[in-house]
Amino acid sequence: MAGKLSEVVAVDAVRTAFGRAGEKGIFWNTRAEDLCIPLLHALMERNPPAKPEMVEDILWGVTNQMKEQGGTIGRMISMLAGWGWNVPGCSIDRMCASGLTALGFACSNIASGMVDCLVAGGVEHMGHLPMGFMRDPHPRAEEAMGDASAFNMGQTAENIHDRWPEFTKEMADAYAVECQAKAHKAIEAGKMKSMIIPVETVDAEGNKVVIDQDQAPRPSTTMEGLASLKTPFRENGRVTPGNASGLNDGASAVLLMEADKAWDMGLHPVMRYVSSAVAALDPRVMGIAPVPATQKALKKAGLTMDDIDIIEINEAFAVQALYCLNRLGVEWNDPRVNPWGGALAFGHPLAASGPRLAAFMAAQFRENPKARYGLCTMCVGRGQGYSIIWENIAQK
């Protein structure tokens, strides 16, 4: 039955700290589910009128859906959080944009009138489940995607350098240095404290510790240091660990509601969903896909890039961020772009990264009443891009 679409609002957005993947990572002794549970608790505790029984579904992004991240983790985490048996949940895979897709699907469900209250988010424990773990590609997958480079995200970034040589390694390194500087400044100013939910875990010596700070940022990053790094994806290449996002562990979550319901309950939403779009292109240069995705989202919203006050682009690689910003008509050092730094500093735990963008957007909206529209966008392995546009209502 056709009807008027409901307005959708994000009430709150939270995340864990992001750790480095591997035995030296802060979450090496923590399961993926146990990164998610504190976020569910926090969304309820930070927004007292909201109750677990109001949540009509949990849409959870997770790229590698096996072992601890299998078994429909989106359903399991609410039960492990003590929410009982009556809160449904599912898992969503769109590789890097699994979590951002979960947000988009959640907004669509609320807008259609199917539900009033959802939690959407994502998790990735890349230390326990590395990218590509136990995958079995179809014998014709390489042919279908163009060539073998489409399977390796670092090689797709090298392909962007090849096709558009105007984006040089020096430019990528300069972008990375700026990202690290912005992240350090934001961390020192306490910008992360409002969104990071502490997680209790056990360190290498067996001691209980509480993790509430990101592990990945490298504030001492310099152009000289980056110039000396090896290029692991190609001999004499341009992509290095310094101008690429890392392998990380983390989780992020957003509480989404129908707008009238949120206001009537006395909640204070921070942003309104405006539009979203997904696009696809040549998997061998998957990093450029945020451009068509953003163009589609802008067209649906009746906006242009000039209307966007905050741009949160997930920096899988510096070169793809440079390309996307350039093609969207934005200077790489435009103050609207990742004001608190991006994935080159904080890391990219795949499905957790999209909701992390939303958490950054929500926090920046709260402190900047003059900012009206914000864009969250990211590239996706296998040649896709996903974008969501939000409107600031934090000051209402």
Side-chain angles (χ1 to χ4, degrees), residues 217-229:
R218 300 180 297 273
S220 60
T221 300
T222 63
M223 287 292 289
E224 293 75 19
L226 294 184
S228 68
L229 296 177

Side-chain angles (χ1 to χ4, degrees), residues 243-318:
N243 60 34
S245 58
L247 305 177
N248 302 91
D249 310 325
S252 310
V254 183
L255 175 61
L256 296 153
M257 296 184 69
E258 192 276 325
D260 288 340
K261 183 179 182 68
W263 293 117
D264 289 346
M265 290 179 60
L267 291 166
H268 300 283
V270 61
M271 55 193 186
R272 180 180 72 88
Y273 167 77
V274 178
S275 69
S276 59
V278 62
L281 43 65
D282 184 344
R284 294 170 295 182
V285 286
M286 65 92 201
I288 71 173
V291 175
T294 296
Q295 291 168 337
K296 289 170 69 173
L298 288 168
K299 184 176 181 180
K300 291 179 181 181
L303 301 172
T304 71
M305 284 303 297
D306 289 340
D307 297 308
I308 303 299
D309 300 299
I310 300 172
I311 302 167
E312 282 292 332
I313 180 169
N314 189 62
E315 303 157 348
F317 301 93

Side-chain angles (χ1 to χ4, degrees), residues 91-172:
S91 298
I92 295 170
D93 172 20
R94 198 193 296 274
M95 297 193 76
C96 310
S98 299
L100 198 61
T101 299
L103 265 64
F105 286 177
C107 290
S108 298
N109 286 350
I110 296 171
S112 70
M114 291 176 60
V115 296
D116 289 331
C117 178
L118 292 171
V119 172
V123 66
E124 213 74 48
H125 200 306
M126 300 181 76
H128 294 174
L129 294 161
M131 187 182 296
F133 180 73
M134 289 183 66
R135 287 202 186 129
D136 181 17
H138 191 279
R140 291 195 299 107
E142 181 178 319
E143 174 191 352
M145 293 194 295
D147 61 47
S149 68
F151 285 101
N152 185 301
M153 299 305 100
Q155 291 184 28
T156 68
E158 291 283 9
N159 290 342
I160 296 174
H161 276 295
D162 289 343
R163 294 196 194 184
W164 296 279
E166 63 267 32
F167 301 109
T168 65
K169 179 182 185 298
E170 290 70 27
M171 292 171 64

Side-chain angles (χ1 to χ4, degrees), residues 51-72:
K51 305 295 179 186
E53 56 267 26
M54 294 169 45
V55 178
E56 297 177 73
D57 205 357
I58 293 177
L59 307 187
W60 212 252
V62 57
T63 303
N64 289 318
Q65 296 185 16
M66 56 199 69
K67 297 186 74 174
E68 67 199 68
Q69 293 183 172
T72 316

